[in-house]
Amino acid sequence: MTATAAPLLSVRDARMTFPGRRRSAPVRAVDGVSFDIAPGETLGLVGESGCGKSTTGRMIVRLLEPTAGSITYDGRDISRLGRRELKPLRRELQMVFQDPHSSLNPRQTVSRIIADPLLVQGTSQAEARRRAAELMELVGLIPEHLDRYPHEFSGGQAQRIGIARSLATGPRLVVADEPVSALDVSVQAQIVNLMERLRRELGLAYLFIAHDLSVVKRVCDRVAVMYLGRIVEIGAKERVYAAPAHPYTQALLSAVPLPDPAAERARERITLAGDPPSPAAPPPGCTFHPRCPKAQEICRTEAPLLRVAAPGEAREVACHFPGTAA
């Protein structure tokens, strides 16, 4: 998990437990997650729906308060800060949401939507509108459309507006929660290219949450694989994609289509048995063992720790029997 630069963000043993309804058990949405993000780095967070990716992102920007653990931003623990203390920090921590239209207020103009974060921070109306026009141009839209409403834009254009809003206060870290999953494939590529350009030009760091591993491979420096609230593998993108060590990572990557039809037909896919267990009642030991083709007795009783996969390798894996695909 260590990066070459001092981390901008450090998450340590973060947990988020939601109370159960009526007599149902509490839901452990995030169950002891730890990782770092360096300045200017993009960390991809991947996994099946319901594994806790979005909850993790919302904890980082403090839309949710962690049940336990710490979230340290730029050397300061922000996991228990109150609303007043968080206000100046929100300039540097922003979020891009999955569904562009549902995340934009349909009753507000684009100018007001983009300017709102600045107005909250005390910027004047005139200066906020000027900044909104700059941001519209930065994300590839026409500043003259500032007085239009969200329904007048396509999905890709609406997501550009969401990105512009996230950049209004000049953040250093942006949590992008599946920012392209609701868009057409051709539009996805445009948004991914836009986010890459903005990272280079503005020096941004991203937590890029996604389930599309081909998109993650395109934009991320490192990848963290999440299963049932825990990170099971994390490391450099090239290493994780070339030789996944955790059986779950191997199964995820085997489902990614290959551009070569012959190679796609020749390869053997890894099919997992059953569905992910409920986070309200996770299995004992390794939570992946009911679906793992390599599971042995120790997997059913002892939860593996996230540890270095091999000596000298900047990758960690939580598995009793890590290795290449069987």
Side-chain angles (χ1 to χ4, degrees), residues 83-146:
R83 184 174 179 178
R84 182 175 298 178
E85 295 171 300
L86 277 172
K87 184 176 178 180
L89 277 173
R90 294 204 183 279
R91 284 181 170 271
E92 301 190 23
L93 294 167
Q94 289 293 323
M95 191 164 187
V96 176
F97 296 92
Q98 177 177 0
D99 187 341
H101 278 114
S102 66
S103 66
L104 304 178
N105 189 333
R107 297 185 177 183
Q108 290 185 347
T109 63
V110 170
S111 174
R112 182 57 189 263
I113 288 170
I114 298 176
D116 251 352
L118 292 168
L119 297 173
V120 168
Q121 296 288 340
T123 306
S124 68
Q125 290 274 359
E127 177 61 23
R129 183 176 175 87
R130 185 193 66 77
R131 176 65 174 154
E134 287 181 354
L135 289 167
M136 283 282 279
E137 195 167 8
L138 182 65
V139 299
L141 295 175
I142 303 174
E144 286 75 13
H145 290 170
L146 277 172

Side-chain angles (χ1 to χ4, degrees), residues 128-174:
R129 183 176 175 87
R130 185 193 66 77
R131 176 65 174 154
E134 287 181 354
L135 289 167
M136 283 282 279
E137 195 167 8
L138 182 65
V139 299
L141 295 175
I142 303 174
E144 286 75 13
H145 290 170
L146 277 172
D147 294 318
R148 291 188 177 185
Y149 289 85
H151 72 270
E152 299 179 70
F153 296 87
S154 67
Q157 291 173 326
Q159 192 60 294
R160 289 174 187 265
I161 294 168
I163 293 170
R165 176 180 59 186
S166 74
L167 299 177
T169 57
R172 298 173 64 193
L173 175 66
V174 174

Side-chain angles (χ1 to χ4, degrees), residues 287-304:
T287 54
F288 185 61
H289 85 257
R291 307 173 73 195
C292 181
K294 300 168 65 175
Q296 299 185 30
E297 185 58 34
I298 189 174
C299 306
R300 300 178 179 89
T301 58
E302 185 178 328

Side-chain angles (χ1 to χ4, degrees), residues 112-312:
R112 182 57 189 263
I113 288 170
I114 298 176
D116 251 352
L118 292 168
L119 297 173
V120 168
Q121 296 288 340
T123 306
S124 68
Q125 290 274 359
E127 177 61 23
R129 183 176 175 87
R130 185 193 66 77
R131 176 65 174 154
E134 287 181 354
L135 289 167
M136 283 282 279
E137 195 167 8
L138 182 65
V139 299
L141 295 175
I142 303 174
E144 286 75 13
H145 290 170
L146 277 172
D147 294 318
R148 291 188 177 185
Y149 289 85
H151 72 270
E152 299 179 70
F153 296 87
S154 67
Q157 291 173 326
Q159 192 60 294
R160 289 174 187 265
I161 294 168
I163 293 170
R165 176 180 59 186
S166 74
L167 299 177
T169 57
R172 298 173 64 193
L173 175 66
V174 174
V175 174
D177 187 8
E178 306 215 30
V180 298
S181 63
L183 307 176
D184 294 338
V185 175
S186 59
V187 179
Q188 286 184 8
Q190 296 172 17
I191 298 300
V192 165
N193 290 337
L194 170 65
M195 295 185 71
E196 273 287 270
R197 176 173 63 81
L198 293 172
R199 179 174 79 147
R200 292 193 305 269
E201 293 179 359
L202 305 178
L204 297 173
Y206 289 127
L207 176 65
F208 195 95
I209 299 169
H211 62 264
D212 187 334
L213 277 82
S214 58
V215 172
V216 170
K217 187 178 183 180
R218 166 72 177 80
V219 301
C220 297
D221 302 304
R222 293 188 301 133
V223 180
V225 181
M226 206 167 175
Y227 182 81
L228 208 64
R230 300 177 183 177
I231 290 178
V232 297
E233 185 166 358
I234 182 170
K237 168 184 66 178
E238 295 80 8
R239 188 63 182 149
V240 172
Y241 276 77
H246 196 283
Y248 180 61
T249 311
Q250 295 165 9
L252 285 181
L253 290 175
S254 77
V256 178
L258 297 177
D260 183 354
E264 175 69 20
R265 288 192 299 268
R267 75 168 175 172
E268 183 178 350
R269 289 203 172 185
I270 301 173
T271 303
L272 298 177
D275 297 318
S278 168
C286 175
T287 54
F288 185 61
H289 85 257
R291 307 173 73 195
C292 181
K294 300 168 65 175
Q296 299 185 30
E297 185 58 34
I298 189 174
C299 306
R300 300 178 179 89
T301 58
E302 185 178 328
L305 300 176
L306 194 65
R307 53 171 63 102
V308 176

Side-chain angles (χ1 to χ4, degrees), residues 14-16 59 62 64-71 78-80:
R15 300 171 187 269
M16 187 71 225
M59 285 195 301
R62 282 299 314 277
L64 294 172
E65 182 173 327
T67 306
S70 66
I71 298 171
I78 65 171
S79 53
R80 298 292 181 271

Side-chain angles (χ1 to χ4, degrees), residues 38-92:
E41 180 186 32
T42 299
L43 175 68
L45 188 59
V46 303
E48 293 171 290
S49 297
C51 71
K53 305 186 301 295
S54 294
T55 301
T56 300
R58 288 170 181 267
M59 285 195 301
I60 288 171
V61 298
R62 282 299 314 277
L63 292 178
L64 294 172
E65 182 173 327
T67 306
S70 66
I71 298 171
T72 303
Y73 173 76
D74 201 18
R76 183 184 183 187
D77 187 351
I78 65 171
S79 53
R80 298 292 181 271
L81 294 183
R83 184 174 179 178
R84 182 175 298 178
E85 295 171 300
L86 277 172
K87 184 176 178 180
L89 277 173
R90 294 204 183 279
R91 284 181 170 271
E92 301 190 23

